[in-house]
């Protein structure tokens, strides 16, 4: 049962300008998409609207350009993949508001698809500014939110637009919420969570609530370095947000109070260069050379994590355990992903993973199909798991 309106409630969309908010924040390398999962998952909705004769106007962000039109965060390089996956041409508007956008929208015929440039090129997006939201809304008759993975952001294109235009949830938004509710509303215990990745400052706070929901929490990736630093260890030149040491300490205390076992790496693969096949060595986390970076968990840590997974009946995972895009720093992520997949296939574990890079990492490990459920969302998925209201979903409910 959904308590918001979906595409089924939108009425005939023929001739309507449909602002479709999608999450195209996909992993890229050298200007090419390296994992197209997020694109593939929104294709059915784009087709469904276009096939009815709706004029599809895709709104999306890429990276974190912080209100500046930084070319490295352009959505343009995604066009070939988007068009290939969709099996039809996609036009491009050089801006998401103003003349460039309105001209591109005016040129659309029924059933056409248009991608507008990065919404985060404008500061009004993240500030959810009324003027900017109005400028976005000027190009649409209807708003459809398909970006579950950005629903934890109260931005103009994820939240504000739902208040200005008739608003509906897209098929993926609906499916993600249904699947997570079904899979995790009353999970089999013990529950283990793995949180890694690089978005330390935007994800660390949610760990405080998460430790009350799960029995074991594995902290890996860049997130682990901040915790190791908080424990007084020298993490050398590793990705580490030192100003969050107090937050990390608070989380460790909260975990103890809630009887949540925290599992931090005991050893690490370190290197002096952030590149594939950089010279590397395994060291204990007490002996990280001051000129080196932790780029993956070590073999003893992998064994500990695998052992903890063996005790669990439910796994939730966001954020790779290391810089998995660069061999051999994919070793920990691949080993743990394969172990969890084998337990899942044997019927011993319910495994739910999510996040743009996490999905790419599972695919890289060859187990993307073997988890119980793979969400496009990382941060949004964890916030949902915490029990938090997601602004993008709440704004749809307000109209429901
Ligand atoms: N120890 C580490 N040092 C640097 N980067 C890391 C480390 N561990 C993981 N990462 C990086 O984290 C990124 C993914 O983080 P994040 O965006 O939080 O995950 P997701 O997109 O799945 O939510 C990957 O690009 C990976 O290279
Ligand atoms: O990639 C995303 O989230 P994720 O890294 O948690 O999977 C979303 O596009 C949100 O991006 P943001 O964390 O820059 O707001």
């Amino acid at each position: 049962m959904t308590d918001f309106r979906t595409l089924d409630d939108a009425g005939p969309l023929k001739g309507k300008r449909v602002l479709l908010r999608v999450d195209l924040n996909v992993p890229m390398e050298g200007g090419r998409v390296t994992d197209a999962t997020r694109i593939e998952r929104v294709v059915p909705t784009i087709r469904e609207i276009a096939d009815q004769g709706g004029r599809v106007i895709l709104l999306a962000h890429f990276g974190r350009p912080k209100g500046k039109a930084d070319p490295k965060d352009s959505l343009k390089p995604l066009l070939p993949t988007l068009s290939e996956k969709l099996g039809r041409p996609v036009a491009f508007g050089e801006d998401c508001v103003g003349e460039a956008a309105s001209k591109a929208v005016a040129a659309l015929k029924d059933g056409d698809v248009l991608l507008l440039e990065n919404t985060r090129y404008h500061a009004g997006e993240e500030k959810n500014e009324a003027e900017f939201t109005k400028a976005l809304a000027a190009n649409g008759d209807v708003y459809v939110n398909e970006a579950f993975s950005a629903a934890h952001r109260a931005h103009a294109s994820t939240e504000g637009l739902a208040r200005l235009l008739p608003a509906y949830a897209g098929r993926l938004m609906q499916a993600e919420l249904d699947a997570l509710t079904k899979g995790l509303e009353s999970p089999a215990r013990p529950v283990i969570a793995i949180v890694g990745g690089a978005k330390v400052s935007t994800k660390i706070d949610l760990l405080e609530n998460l430790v009350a929901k799960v029995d074991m929490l594995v902290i890996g990736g860049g997130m682990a370095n901040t915790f190791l630093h908080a424990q007084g260890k020298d993490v050398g030149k590793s990705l580490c947000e030192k100003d969050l040491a107090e937050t990390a300490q608070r989380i460790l205390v909260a975990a103890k109070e809630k009887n949540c076992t925290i599992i931090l790496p005991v050893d690490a693969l370190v290197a002096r260069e952030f590149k594939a096949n950089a010279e590397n060595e395994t060291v204990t986390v007490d002996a990280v050379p001051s000129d080196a970076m932790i780029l993956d968990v070590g073999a003893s840590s992998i064994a500990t994590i695998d052992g903890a997974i063996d005790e669990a009946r439910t796994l939730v995972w966001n954020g790779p355990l290391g810089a998995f895009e660069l061999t051999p720093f994919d070793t920990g992520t691949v080993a743990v992903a394969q172990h969890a997949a084998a337990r899942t296939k044997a019927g011993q574990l319910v495994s739910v993973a999510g996040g743009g890079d996490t999905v790419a990492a599972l695919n890289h490990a060859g187990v993307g199909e073997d988890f119980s459920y793979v969400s496009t969302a990382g941060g949004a998925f964890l916030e949902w798991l915490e029990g938090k209201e997601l602004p993008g979903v709440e704004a749809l409910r307000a109209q429901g």
Side-chain angles (χ1 to χ4, degrees):
M1 258 294 281
T2 47
D3 49 2
F4 44 71
R5 294 188 292 183
T6 71
L7 273 180
D8 293 326
D9 308 302
L13 292 173
K14 186 170 166 49
K16 294 255 172 77
R17 298 168 304 160
V18 181
L19 289 174
L20 180 62
R21 181 42 159 112
V22 288
D23 187 350
L24 301 180
N25 202 21
V26 292
M28 306 267 296
E29 220 177 279
R32 297 176 73 97
V33 175
T34 51
D35 187 280
T37 305
R38 279 183 172 161
I39 295 175
E40 288 161 357
R41 300 278 283 270
V42 296
V43 155
T45 301
I46 299 175
R47 284 208 190 114
E48 183 180 335
I49 298 169
D51 288 349
Q52 289 180 50
R55 302 173 182 203
V56 183
I57 302 149
L58 299 172
L59 294 176
H61 74 277
F62 190 83
R64 292 176 169 177
K66 297 195 186 328
K68 299 235 157 54
D70 188 335
K72 84 168 174 25
D73 292 316
S74 173
L75 285 168
K76 210 171 188 173
L78 271 74
L79 273 179
T81 311
L82 183 58
S83 170
E84 182 208 318
K85 299 287 174 192
L86 200 56
R88 47 187 93 175
V90 180
F92 188 73
E94 301 284 343
D95 200 351
C96 62
V97 289
E99 209 182 317
S102 58
K103 274 192 177 158
V105 171
L108 289 176
K109 294 193 282 301
D110 290 358
D112 281 353
V113 182
L114 165 71
L115 171 64
L116 295 180
E117 185 56 288
N118 197 341
T119 51
R120 290 190 185 172
Y121 275 4
H122 297 266
E125 163 71 343
E126 292 190 55
K127 291 186 187 146
N128 203 352
E129 257 169 28
E131 279 309 302
F132 178 70
T133 315
K134 248 194 254 170
L136 287 175
N139 290 313
D141 305 305
V142 168
Y143 168 70
V144 178
N145 191 350
E146 187 65 325
F148 174 66
S149 44
H152 56 323
R153 309 289 181 221
H155 295 173
S157 69
T158 60
E159 201 269 355
L161 275 176
R163 302 183 186 280
L164 288 190
L165 292 173
Y168 306 93
R171 300 295 182 206
L172 177 63
M173 170 72 84
Q174 210 182 337
E176 291 264 30
L177 286 163
D178 284 350
L180 291 179
T181 306
K182 217 176 276 165
L184 294 176
E185 205 166 37
S186 44
R189 293 201 170 265
V191 179
I192 186 167
I194 302 178
V195 178
K199 289 182 177 173
V200 181
S201 53
T202 59
K203 288 181 187 166
I204 196 165
D205 285 330
L206 61 80
L207 298 184
E208 201 161 346
N209 285 331
L210 202 62
V211 294
K213 306 259 171 190
V214 303
D215 305 293
M216 295 175 270
L217 172 62
V218 175
I219 304 174
M223 185 71 85
N225 302 338
T226 301
F227 280 79
L228 295 171
H229 167 72
Q231 291 181 328
K233 296 182 175 39
D234 180 4
V235 294
K237 296 209 155 33
S238 305
L239 170 69
C240 175
E241 303 208 17
K242 295 192 171 158
D243 53 332
L244 294 173
E246 261 179 45
T247 310
Q249 277 155 354
R250 208 175 56 234
I251 290 160
L252 294 174
V253 171
K256 209 171 227 171
E257 278 168 9
K258 303 286 178 194
N259 281 327
C260 172
T261 306
I262 297 282
I263 299 167
L264 278 163
V266 289
D267 59 350
L269 206 53
V270 301
R272 284 163 184 82
E273 290 174 285
F274 191 81
K275 65 171 200 192
N277 303 310
E279 199 178 309
N280 61 82
E281 59 182 317
T282 300
V283 297
T284 68
V285 290
D286 294 308
V288 176
S290 56
D291 61 344
M293 289 170 279
I294 296 174
L295 293 182
D296 197 10
V297 292
S300 300
S301 307
I302 295 170
T304 306
I305 298 167
D306 284 353
I309 290 173
D310 291 345
E311 287 172 30
R313 291 181 59 206
T314 304
L315 163 70
V316 291
W317 185 353
N318 168 249
L321 293 172
F324 77 96
E325 300 91 340
L326 314 169
T327 39
F329 310 108
D330 56 345
T331 308
T333 305
V334 168
V336 171
Q338 290 177 344
H339 186 75
R343 301 274 307 170
T344 306
K345 282 208 279 189
Q348 292 153 326
L349 186 74
V350 171
S351 52
V352 181
D357 289 301
T358 305
V359 173
L362 295 190
N363 289 337
H364 171 72
V367 299
E369 305 287 311
D370 299 331
F371 271 54
S372 312
Y373 182 67
V374 177
S375 171
T376 56
F381 157 47
L382 290 179
E383 289 197 20
W384 175 90
L385 194 69
E386 269 186 280
K388 266 201 182 154
E389 291 188 340
L390 304 178
V393 177
E394 290 313 307
L396 292 174
R397 287 206 168 109
Q399 287 225 353

